[in-house]
Structure formats: C-alpha cells, structure tokens
Amino acid sequence: MPEKMVTIFGASTVLWTLFAASQAFKLQISPEYRMIAQIGDSVSLTCTTTDCESPSFSWRTQIDSPLNAKVRTEGTKSILTMDPVSFENEHSYLCTATCGSAKLERGIQVEIYSFPKDPEIQLSGPLEVGKPVMVKCLAPDVYPADRLEMELVKDDHVLKTQEFLEEIKKSVVTKSLEMSFTPTTEDIGKALVCQARLYIESVPKEREMVKELQVYTSPKNTVISVHPSKRLQEGDAVTMTCSSEGLPAPEILWSKKLDNGNEQLLSGNATLTLIAMRMEDSGIYVCEGVNLVGRHKTEVELIVQEKPFTVDIFPGSHVAAQVGDSVVLTCAVVDCDSPSFSWRTQIDSPLSGEVRSEGTISTLTLSPVSFENEHSYLCTVTCVRRKLEKEIRVEVYSFPEDPEIEMSGPLVHGRPVTVTCSVPNVYPFDHLEIELLKGQTTLMNKYFLEEMSIKSPETKSLEMTFIPTTEDTGEVLVCLAKLHSGQMESEPKQRRSTQTLFVSVAPQETTIWVSPSPILEEGSPVNLTCSSDGFPAPQILWSRQLNNGELQPLSEDTVLTIMSTKLEDSGIYVCEGINQAGISKKSVELTVQVSSKDIQLTAFPSESVKEGDTVIISCTCKNVSETWIILKKKAKTGDMVLKSVDGAYTILKAQLQDAGVYECESKTGVGSQLRSLTLDVKGRENNRDYFSPELLALYCASSLIIPAIGMIIYFARKANMKGSYSLVEAQKSKV
Ligand SMILES: *[C@@H]1O[C@H](CO)[C@@H](O)[C@H](O)[C@H]1NC(C)=O
Ligand SMILES: *[C@@H]1O[C@H](CO)[C@@H](O)[C@H](O)[C@H]1NC(C)=O
Ligand SMILES: *[C@@H]1O[C@H](CO)[C@@H](O)[C@H](O)[C@H]1NC(C)=O
C-alpha cells in the first residue's frame, strides 16, 4: 500500500514541473510536491519567485474549493497558512505567480492525517486468573483509518494483528482491536503492549501503549477467629480477626447485620475488638474480604448474654432470732460492680433496724431483736437496669431458759405426786411441745395450739401425776421443751432439764430395845437403842416426852445411854425415825426405882418377940419423894395391908398369929420395891388382943399430906393387876 501512494504523488509532481519550466522566471514552492499535515497542526506552504521584481501571487485549489487558509504575500513570497489543518485542507493547492505577462504555476498536494494519541488499552474487567476478559486496544482519532494497523503483543509474542481496510471517510475515527484474554498466574508481572501504526509515509508513524498486567484473584477462604468465645456475657470484650486470601490482598470490611437486613459498616481493620458488650450487641457479624476482582464474606454470630448478677441473702431464707439477741441480715451481690441496695419489709412497716451498705454488701442489723422484727425482709438490688429481690423471713422467738421441773412434794414410794414442767418466757406457743420422759420413755407430751393473742412471751407448762415406786430411784426424769418452727430449721430448738428420781420410803417399823430393862434401879446404866426402816435410812431422834406432851430432844444417836439413872429419868422416851418421806415414832417408858438399899423394913425391938410384947414394924424410905409405902402381912388367904402411921405399924400386944412374913412395898410413880421380914412370936400366956388389919399408906416425905384413900386403892390395884411392867406395856401399846 505505501508503494501505491508514492506512485500517485510522483505523477502529479512531474506534471507541474513540466508546466513551470517553460517560463523565464522561476517559481518554487515549498515543501515540494507534497505535504503531509496532521489535523490540528499549523502548516504553511510557501511560494517563492525568482527573477521577477514584483510578482503577483494567487492561490487556489485544483477543484476550486475554498482555500481554508490564509494568504500572506510579501515581495517575492507568498505564504499560505493552514491553521489549524482540517479536512478542508486536503487538496492539491496551486500557487500561481504572474510576472508581467509570464505566468507560472506550481502545485502541491496537501495530505492530512490524524494520529494524535498513543493507543489505549482497555480491559473489560480486572484480570482474574482463569477468567476471560475482553482486551480492547483503542487508537483514537485516527485518519485515514484504512492505513492503520494495530497489534497486541504480550511477552514479545503477537497476540493479534488487525488492519482496517475500509472506505475512506473524511473524519477521524477511533479504531480498536479486541480480543478475549484469559490470564494465568504466569501473566503476573508481564506487560501487554498495544501498537498502532499509521502508514502514511514510507516510514509509518507508530504509537504504542504498554500495560503492566495486574492479575488478580478473587477473595476466598475468608475465615473469622473469635476470641475468647462467640458466647459472651454483658460487659465482656471480644476480639475477632478476619483473614481472606486473594490478590491483591483483600481489604477486610467488618459489618453487622441490622434487623432491616442492611449491614452497618463497622471497621476496615482485620481485627475487630468490641468492648463492654451489651445484649444488644448480639447478632450476626460479617467479615468481607474485598479486592478489585471480588468479595467473599463469612458470618459469625455473637451471643451476648445477660450477665447473671446474683444476690445472696444470709443467713438464709429464714432466720430465727431470739428476742433480745442481735441479728445481722446480709445481702451480698456477685457480678455487679456498683449495686444499689434498698431494704423493706413486705408489709412496708418500719425496718426497726440499721442498714449499712458498702460496695457489694449491705447489712441490716436488728439489735436487739424485738417482736417488731417479725417480718419478711426484702433486699432489693439494682444493678444498672436490672433489679433482683431476695427475701428473708425473720422469725422471732423467745426461749431463753431451760424448763423447770417441779414436784408437788417429795417422791415417796406409793404416794402420788404431780410433776410440773414449765417453760418460761416462751414464744411462739403454737410451736411449742413439752415432753416429759422417764429415761427414754415418754410419759406425756403436749402440743400447744396457736393462740390469737398479743405477741408476748409466756410461761407454758405440762402437768402430770404419777405414783413413784422405789424402782424409780436412779431414773432420770427429763423435761424436754421443743420449739418447732414451721420453716425456720429442720431441727427444733430444744431445751431440757433433768432430775434424777429419788423415791424415798417413809420410816416404818421403828423399834426400841431397852438394855438391860425398862425398869431400873436408881443409879444403874441403861441403853435405849432405836432402829427404823425407811429410805433413805431414817434419822433417829431421841426425845423425852414432857408432862405437857411436848417432846424435848435429847440425842440423834441410835443409842441413848444414861450412865447412871436417876429417879427423875423415869418417864416416856420417844424415838423418831425421820426422813424426808415422813416420821415413825415409838416410845418406851423407863421406870427408875428407888434403890433397894434405900428401903428398910425393921422390927423393933426385934424380929423375935414374946407374946404380949409391943412390936413396931416400920418401913422407911430415905429421900425418896412421892413414894407410897404399903405395909402388908402375907397370909395364906391373901395379903393383908396394915394400917401404918409414918410407915410404922405398932403391934401393942404381940399374939402368936402376928408371927409371919411382913412386906413393905414402896411405890413410886414408876415402880415398886419389896422388902420383907419374918416376925417370930413366942408363946407366953393366954391373953389375946384384938387384931384388925388396917390399910396403911404414908408418904416417905413427911412434908406431904397424905392423899385420899381412893388414890391409894387405885395405885394398889394397878400394881396388882398388871404387875411391874404394866405401865411400860401400856405405853408400848399406845405407840
Ligand atoms: C488495626 O488494628 C490494629 C490493632 O488494633 C492497629 O495496630 C492498627 O493500627 C489498625 N489498623 C487500622 C487501619 O486501623
Ligand atoms: C450400853 O452400850 C455400851 C456401848 O455399846 C456398852 O458398853 C454397855 O455395856 C451397854 N450397857 C448396857 C447396860 O447394856
Ligand atoms: C435427900 O436428898 C437431898 C436432895 O435430893 C439430899 O440433899 C439429902 O442429903 C438426902 N438425904 C439423905 C438422907 O440421903
């Protein structure tokens, strides 16, 4: 093709040269024959004459179209300037110079072209390995397009060549070469070259564009790692790191899915750290790896749970508080930094206590505990927006003392006794149980029923009557008071008192031994020994019964010894066996007699007299007060009591029958003694005196007046009927 063009221009030049050569003066045109001008440039054609002083010039185109250029003539030169060069300038321009009559003409062919810019390489998209892409090489504003050749070269290897053989239009066009290209990883770093050549001269104008190949890979293997966990608690922090493979290295975008389906962009940093999370932060988090050629996303769901702050109340859900004690209720919060506390009672009555809150602990001190504190107390904890309430029931009780065991009297075998077990100052009564046990055996128990009464402690008791026996001794009587509580504790409060039973046996069979005898001679010793059965062993108490009936205590020994008895010691002696169960009495009469040596029975002048003599039989008792003297004569028919004066009986004229045994019986209040003598009467002559026995009674103590005869008879009869021991026996039977 370039050869053809040269031929055409060559023929035209030859024609004009021949025409001009016939003139004397000469006309030159520059450039010669042909000019190639680029559209938009400024070019000039210059006509110059020689050998003519004042030539005239004229310019025209061969087809007489407008010049589309400016002419400037100066002397022998005429310059045609095309500024800018346009399609209208694609003509054969003729420069005519006239010098006088001579006329010369020169022609020049102006050819135009347009090839102003380097080609462009356009890719239909980023280069992704394995993905075909349209590569377009553009040569913009080219004219004449039929002389254009384009080539796409990669790595010194021509991929495609294209010529544009088309009809010529007078306009600049953009021509392009297109091809599909599938990049491989080997293409990374290579260059794609687009070359455009415009063949308008022998040496074609050439322009090229080099494009470095940017081969990309779409993000893939987008992975999220979550630390520490996808399940979190309020306030926690979480760090999520996302990675994605791709070329170029994908940019990481973190976002969170919103409820409406949109995503909210959070960060462009691969590491996303969320601190102080709240429940609303739960949701789906999306990590997207993005680069020029693609995007790849992965999701992770985070669950933020409510932080379970907890409230504990101590000592528990119930507390039993004794009236007067001090009780501290403690409300403690875990997992809340700055809780706020409030205390109230369920019925909104006054707290009757002191609240102290510090940090995560609040205490309510009830001191001293009173009945006003019998409530359910509520501790309300507010932590940020949440509230928790814990309840503790304060159950007030009073149970300050051990029970008391009381017996209606001493424990005596066989004697009914009432045991009272009382629990003082107890509350509440409806929770009270009193149990009475003997050893392990329950004798009785009693539950106290609820009483709708004022809140105040009272004394409650159980009463029981039983008949103790000696076998009960040593057994333990237990009074057990249990204060149950509905909910307080599983075990009831207990208080107990015990009493070891000691069953006594009342004294009985009190016995007295008298050694040697209850009838004694004055001056002799006597031992009175007493014994009494009973349990515990009865205490012995010897007393002497006074005339007025009162007892005069003598000794607590079992043996009452009188070393030397006196007449005054005669009397009733009482022995008492005493223990806590009772008294058993026994008495004995002690008779102290005048010593036999103190009574003398004498016959005067002699115990042997003659008939007719006067004999005085006299009975004397020295220094024995209140002694009856009875003078008797023993006879076969019975004793004859003789009438005596001051203990003396006078036989004026002794008869034979006066002989015999005479007895003197001395009687004191406590006994009698006998003395006797035998009177011997010797016969003399036959004169007899009348004898009439007489009752004689006299006092030894002359100072006393002789009492009435009846008294004497009384004593005499008593002495005769019952013998020496009669009084003692009488006393014994009385006991
Ligand atoms: C991403 O986070 C890391 C660590 O938190 C930090 O060092 C880095 O500067 C951050 N980069 C950007 C772009 O914010
Ligand atoms: C009285 O008891 C004492 C001591 O037991 C004894 O020595 C004495 O002989 C007793 N006397 C009589 C009269 O039994
Ligand atoms: C008689 O008893 C009294 C005191 O009781 C005494 O002083 C007096 O000596 C006694 N007389 C005789 C004779 O024993």
Side-chain angles (χ1 to χ4, degrees):
M1 183 179 86
E3 276 171 43
K4 184 180 67 186
M5 275 179 25
V6 170
T7 313
I8 293 164
F9 277 101
S12 161
T13 306
V14 170
L15 172 72
W16 286 108
T17 308
L18 289 174
F19 175 74
S22 60
Q23 302 300 317
F25 76 102
K26 287 179 185 152
L27 179 62
Q28 284 179 311
I29 195 159
S30 121
E32 277 185 289
Y33 315 123
R34 183 165 168 254
M35 170 166 206
I36 294 171
Q38 178 147 244
I39 289 170
D41 286 357
S42 171
V43 294
S44 296
L45 303 175
T46 307
C47 254
T48 311
T49 59
T50 46
D51 299 330
C52 181
E53 278 182 16
S54 53
S56 64
F57 294 95
S58 77
W59 291 86
R60 64 182 173 88
T61 68
Q62 202 162 26
I63 57 167
D64 242 355
S65 55
L67 284 177
N68 291 318
K70 282 180 185 146
V71 176
R72 187 166 51 88
T73 306
E74 282 173 5
T76 59
K77 254 187 206 172
S78 182
I79 301 165
L80 182 74
T81 304
M82 291 167 260
D83 186 15
V85 174
S86 72
F87 284 109
E88 280 77 43
N89 297 116
E90 190 171 39
H91 296 297
S92 281
Y93 281 90
L94 294 170
C95 169
T96 310
T98 309
C99 187
S101 58
K103 204 178 191 177
L104 285 174
E105 210 169 42
R106 286 278 191 267
I108 183 164
Q109 179 74 28
V110 173
E111 292 186 17
I112 63 165
Y113 75 97
S114 177
F115 194 33
K117 298 173 199 165
D118 286 338
E120 283 173 33
I121 295 176
Q122 285 182 351
L123 299 172
S124 63
L127 294 175
E128 208 178 329
V129 172
K131 273 197 184 169
V133 75
M134 288 307 292
V135 182
K136 198 173 191 179
C137 186
L138 293 169
D141 303 338
V142 176
Y143 179 84
D146 59 336
R147 309 229 185 126
L148 183 68
E149 186 189 62
M150 289 178 82
E151 240 177 26
L152 207 50
V153 178
K154 186 192 81 178
D155 200 15
D156 295 332
H157 174 75
V158 177
L159 297 177
K160 189 172 184 182
T161 305
Q162 190 166 348
E163 289 173 6
F164 302 90
L165 298 170
E166 297 164 35
E167 59 191 297
I168 299 162
K169 277 185 227 141
K170 284 217 174 204
S171 65
V172 293
V173 290
T174 297
K175 288 292 172 191
S176 62
L177 173 157
E178 273 185 61
M179 69 171 288
S180 172
F181 172 66
T182 303
T184 65
T185 46
E186 278 127 54
D187 294 329
I188 296 168
K190 300 270 171 66
L192 204 61
V193 181
C194 177
Q195 290 175 338
R197 285 182 214 98
L198 195 63
Y199 289 93
I200 49 171
E201 288 171 283
S202 50
V203 177
K205 291 195 184 296
E206 193 172 314
R207 282 181 179 274
E208 71 170 24
M209 174 55 73
V210 177
K211 191 173 179 81
E212 192 108 342
L213 284 180
Q214 290 287 341
V215 181
Y216 300 134
T217 57
S218 183
K220 59 179 179 184
N221 296 338
T222 305
V223 175
I224 299 174
S225 69
V226 182
H227 181 81
S229 165
K230 293 181 213 172
R231 285 192 167 268
L232 303 150
Q233 284 185 355
E234 270 187 315
D236 284 355
V238 67
T239 298
M240 296 189 283
T241 305
C242 183
S243 66
S244 183
E245 296 170 8
L247 202 75
E251 191 185 335
I252 298 294
L253 293 178
W254 277 105
S255 51
K256 183 178 184 231
K257 274 195 178 168
L258 301 179
D259 291 340
N260 60 16
N262 293 343
E263 289 183 1
Q264 178 196 8
L265 187 64
L266 296 176
S267 164
N269 198 327
T271 300
L272 177 65
T273 297
L274 304 170
I275 59 165
M277 295 196 74
R278 293 178 303 174
M279 284 169 72
E280 306 90 271
D281 295 326
S282 295
I284 295 171
Y285 287 78
V286 181
C287 166
E288 198 167 21
V290 181
N291 67 11
L292 289 167
V293 292
R295 44 182 61 216
H296 181 245
K297 60 167 81 170
T298 299
E299 295 179 350
V300 67
E301 183 169 13
L302 293 187
I303 297 169
V304 183
Q305 289 166 322
E306 193 172 37
K307 193 164 187 179
F309 90 94
T310 55
V311 178
D312 287 316
I313 200 154
F314 300 103
S317 60
H318 290 84
V319 62
Q322 177 145 241
V323 173
D325 284 359
S326 176
V327 161
V328 179
L329 310 180
T330 304
C331 195
V333 179
V334 179
D335 289 335
C336 178
D337 294 335
S338 49
S340 70
F341 294 93
S342 79
W343 288 89
R344 66 190 171 87
T345 68
Q346 199 155 40
I347 54 162
D348 251 351
S349 51
L351 286 178
S352 307
E354 196 184 312
V355 174
R356 186 165 298 174
S357 299
E358 206 177 311
T360 58
I361 286 181
S362 180
T363 58
L364 173 60
T365 304
L366 312 175
S367 181
V369 172
S370 73
F371 287 109
E372 269 133 57
N373 296 121
E374 192 157 45
H375 291 299
S376 275
Y377 283 91
L378 294 160
C379 168
T380 308
V381 180
T382 309
C383 185
V384 196
R385 305 173 306 282
R386 277 170 293 145
K387 248 188 196 181
L388 270 183
E389 200 162 57
K390 281 279 164 129
E391 183 179 335
I392 183 167
R393 169 133 197 94
V394 176
E395 293 181 351
V396 176
Y397 72 94
S398 173
F399 195 29
E401 290 162 55
D402 285 335
E404 286 163 15
I405 298 176
E406 262 183 309
M407 302 280 182
S408 59
L411 292 174
V412 179
H413 177 81
R415 194 187 293 169
V417 69
T418 300
V419 185
T420 307
C421 176
S422 45
V423 183
N425 294 321
V426 66
Y427 177 89
F429 330 121
D430 57 318
H431 292 156
L432 181 68
E433 178 191 356
I434 304 179
E435 190 176 3
L436 194 65
L437 303 106
K438 189 168 78 179
Q440 306 289 323
T441 316
T442 301
L443 299 178
M444 188 180 190
N445 70 346
K446 184 173 177 185
Y447 291 92
F448 292 82
L449 297 176
E450 188 166 4
E451 292 174 31
M452 289 304 289
S453 62
I454 48 157
K455 290 181 174 185
S456 72
E458 281 180 24
T459 297
K460 294 283 164 188
S461 56
L462 168 155
E463 216 177 77
M464 187 205 152
T465 301
F466 79 106
I467 301 173
T469 64
T470 46
E471 285 91 66
D472 291 331
T473 295
E475 295 267 18
V476 177
L477 199 65
V478 181
C479 177
L480 181 61
K482 296 180 192 172
L483 193 61
H484 293 276
S485 51
Q487 297 144 314
M488 277 194 293
E489 301 120 26
S490 49
E491 285 291 302
K493 297 191 180 307
Q494 295 194 356
R495 280 184 174 274
R496 65 165 65 209
S497 292
T498 59
Q499 188 166 316
T500 303
L501 292 181
F502 187 84
V503 180
S504 45
V505 179
Q508 55 195 349
E509 291 177 29
T510 302
T511 312
I512 297 174
W513 291 274
V514 183
S515 171
S517 157
I519 298 173
L520 303 153
E521 270 196 7
E522 193 180 13
S524 62
V526 67
N527 283 347
L528 302 175
T529 306
C530 182
S531 80
S532 181
D533 291 343
F535 186 77
Q539 185 85 34
I540 298 295
L541 177 61
W542 277 107
S543 313
R544 183 167 178 189
Q545 191 170 326
L546 302 180
N547 288 334
N548 62 9
E550 283 179 16
L551 294 178
Q552 180 194 19
L554 297 176
S555 165
E556 293 185 0
D557 297 332
T558 44
V559 179
L560 177 68
T561 300
I562 305 173
M563 296 302 291
S564 172
T565 51
K566 296 195 184 79
L567 291 178
E568 316 81 277
D569 292 330
S570 294
I572 295 170
Y573 288 80
V574 179
C575 168
E576 289 170 296
I578 304 170
N579 66 13
Q580 65 239 43
I583 295 175
S584 171
K585 272 188 197 177
K586 187 84 183 177
S587 62
V588 68
E589 184 168 9
L590 204 61
T591 306
V592 181
Q593 295 177 332
V594 178
S595 170
S596 51
K597 61 181 184 267
D598 291 341
I599 296 177
Q600 282 178 350
L601 183 62
T602 52
F604 182 83
S606 161
E607 286 178 26
S608 180
V609 293
K610 285 176 193 152
E611 205 176 5
D613 287 351
T614 295
V615 180
I616 299 167
I617 295 171
S618 94
C619 182
T620 60
C621 53
K622 58 172 190 182
N623 222 4
V624 181
S625 59
E626 291 185 32
T627 305
W628 294 99
I629 302 291
I630 298 166
L631 207 54
K632 292 185 285 187
K633 177 156 185 290
K634 300 288 249 185
K636 281 173 191 160
T637 53
D639 294 352
M640 274 184 300
V641 177
L642 307 176
K643 192 178 177 179
S644 65
V645 176
D646 286 345
Y649 177 68
T650 308
I651 304 167
L652 286 175
K653 286 180 181 161
Q655 306 282 316
L656 285 177
Q657 54 265 46
D658 288 329
V661 177
Y662 288 79
E663 258 183 9
C664 170
E665 186 179 2
S666 71
K667 280 186 188 285
T668 63
V670 291
S672 63
Q673 280 203 18
L674 281 176
R675 288 285 181 276
S676 60
L677 63 82
T678 305
L679 185 68
D680 179 30
V681 181
K682 288 178 175 123
R684 192 189 278 181
E685 53 210 60
N686 205 11
N687 62 335
R688 291 173 191 241
D689 281 349
Y690 172 76
F691 173 76
S692 85
E694 284 172 279
L695 182 69
L696 174 75
L698 59 109
Y699 263 111
C700 277
S702 53
S703 61
L704 291 175
I705 297 158
I706 300 164
I709 299 283
M711 283 293 272
I712 300 164
I713 292 166
Y714 168 77
F715 277 110
R717 197 192 307 148
K718 243 184 175 183
N720 287 336
M721 279 164 59
K722 306 236 172 163
S724 318
Y725 297 93
S726 64
L727 287 178
V728 172
E729 289 303 312
Q731 285 292 352
K732 271 184 187 171
S733 62
K734 244 195 258 173
V735 172

